[in-house]
Each structure stands twice: as C-alpha cells, then as structure tokens.
C-alpha cells in the first residue's frame, strides 16, 4: 500500500465515537484561560504592565486632576510641558496653564492626548472613535501617547466593547505600543506609531 492509499484510507474511516465526544466537549468548554482575580481596573492595569503591551498607568479621582497627572508624566519622561490636545470640550475646558498647547499634531510631536471610548480588562485594549472632536492622526504621529479613560467605561472582555458607531466614521483599537522585529530580528518599539503609551484612568 502506498502512502497515498494509507492517507485516503484513514479519511474514509468512520469517526470514532470517543473522538466525536472529544470534539463536542471542546465546543462546550471555555477556550479562554481563567482571568486573574481583581477588579476590572486592577486587571486592566495588570495587562498594561505586561511586556506584550508595555504601557504605564496612573489613576486619578476626577477629570480636573488630569493636567497635573499629565505634567507628572511629562516631567518623569524628561519632556517639556508641551502637548497636543484634541478639540474635545471635556479636556479643552481644563486648566492647562503652564503647558504649551498645540491644536495641530506635527510629525515630530513629542506628546499627544487622546480620549478613549472604552477599555478591555482582558487584553488591556483601548477603543477610540474618529470624529471632529477626536481626530485619529495625532495618535499615530506622537512619540508619547497619553490616553484618558473613564473607569466606568472599562469592560470585562473584548466582545463587551460597545458597538455603537452612530455619528462616528470608525472605531480603532490600540493594544500597547507599536513594534516590529523585521529589522535583523531585533525588537524595535515605536516602528509604526508611538513608542510610549500612558493611560490616565479617571474615577
């Protein structure tokens, strides 16, 4: 018997009952690994700290503490207090005195602020919407991507992300900083976007 005949012979055999039961058990089971203990915020922060995401996080109680939190981050990164702000009334109305604020992101923009629609504790993913008050391009030009996220928009799993697209052109998702190993197999951060991601979790 040739190797071809042996393979075709196996294909024509009836599926054993125990194999069919194993397949049915896989469908019934949960293919996801168990989630670690903790609140959504704690699990989300844990995912951000993982090497695959490589982001930092700070928690603040209220939105009016955002400028001070951003100032701390920029200072620790050795950057001047300069920042792109999106035309979002929620952040434009805060006290940014002491900052050099720009309303147009340049290709060499050191830091830009963005407001995320939601976050997933399962993966550390952030979801953004494109809209007149939420332009997308600055979030990919900047070196330091600073993201504001309301704690009450955190969800457990990716499929729990709200799917409402009304009034928006698109959603896009960010999970950590960009990177590549295309160049001689060496990992390079920031190859296709920001090199640093910092989340300010509000509430």
């Amino acid at each position: 018997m040739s190797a071809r005949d042996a393979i075709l012979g196996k294909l024509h055999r009836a599926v054993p009952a125990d194999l069919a039961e194993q397949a049915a058990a896989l469908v019934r089971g949960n293919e996801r690994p168990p989630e670690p203990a903790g609140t959504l915020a704690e699990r989300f922060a844990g995912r951000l700290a993982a090497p695959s995401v490589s982001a930092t996080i700070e928690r603040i109680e209220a939105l009016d503490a955002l400028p001070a939190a951003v100032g701390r981050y920029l200072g620790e990164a050795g950057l001047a207090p300069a920042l792109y702000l999106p035309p979002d009334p929620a952040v434009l109305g805060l006290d940014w005195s002491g900052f050099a604020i720009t309303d147009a992101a340049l290709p060499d923009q050191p830091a830009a602020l963005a407001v995320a629609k939601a976050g997933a504790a399962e993966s550390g993913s952030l979801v953004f919407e494109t809209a007149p008050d939420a332009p997308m391009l600055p979030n990919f030009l900047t070196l330091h991507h600073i993201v504001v996220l309301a704690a009450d928009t955190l969800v457990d799993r990716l499929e729990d992300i709200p799917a409402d697209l009304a009034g928006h052109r698109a959603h896009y998702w960010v999970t950590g900083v960009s990177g590549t190993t295309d160049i001689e197999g060496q990992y390079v951060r920031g190859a296709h976007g920001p090199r640093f991601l910092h989340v300010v979790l509000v509430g």
Side-chain angles (χ1 to χ4, degrees):
M1 178 184 293
S2 68
R4 176 178 180 275
D5 292 334
I7 293 171
L8 291 176
K10 290 180 181 180
L11 292 177
H12 287 103
R13 291 176 190 167
V15 177
D18 61 337
L19 186 60
E21 175 56 31
Q22 290 177 34
L26 289 174
V27 174
R28 290 194 303 267
N30 184 3
E31 63 270 16
R32 280 187 167 108
E35 285 293 315
T39 65
L40 286 178
E42 290 168 345
R43 289 168 47 209
F44 179 72
R47 293 293 187 190
L48 291 182
S52 58
V53 180
S54 192
T56 54
I57 186 170
E58 179 179 351
R59 297 195 67 176
I60 58 177
E61 290 296 326
L63 193 60
D64 58 7
L66 178 62
V70 172
R72 284 191 295 273
Y73 173 78
L74 294 177
E76 291 169 2
L79 298 174
L83 186 69
Y84 164 82
L85 282 184
D88 185 324
V91 295
L92 284 179
L94 301 174
D95 181 10
W96 295 101
S97 57
F99 287 82
I101 300 299
T102 60
D103 59 3
L106 304 175
D108 58 351
Q109 185 74 38
L113 186 76
V115 180
K117 175 182 176 64
E122 177 185 39
S123 61
S125 299
L126 296 159
V127 181
F128 299 88
E129 290 179 329
T130 61
D133 61 353
M136 178 174 62
L137 185 60
N139 299 329
F140 294 94
L141 292 177
T142 185
L143 182 65
H144 293 260
H145 192 198
I146 305 172
V147 178
V148 186
L149 176 68
D152 60 6
T153 64
L154 280 173
V155 296
D156 187 13
R157 299 182 182 277
L158 295 173
E159 60 265 33
D160 299 326
I161 294 290
D164 179 18
L165 290 172
H168 299 278
R169 289 170 286 179
H171 282 172
Y172 60 100
W173 299 42
V174 171
T175 306
V177 296
S178 68
T180 183
T181 56
D182 292 344
I183 305 170
E184 297 184 353
Q186 299 296 314
Y187 177 61
V188 179
R189 284 177 57 169
H192 310 295
R195 188 176 297 173
F196 304 96
L197 172 64
H198 181 66
V199 177
V200 182
L201 189 62
V202 183

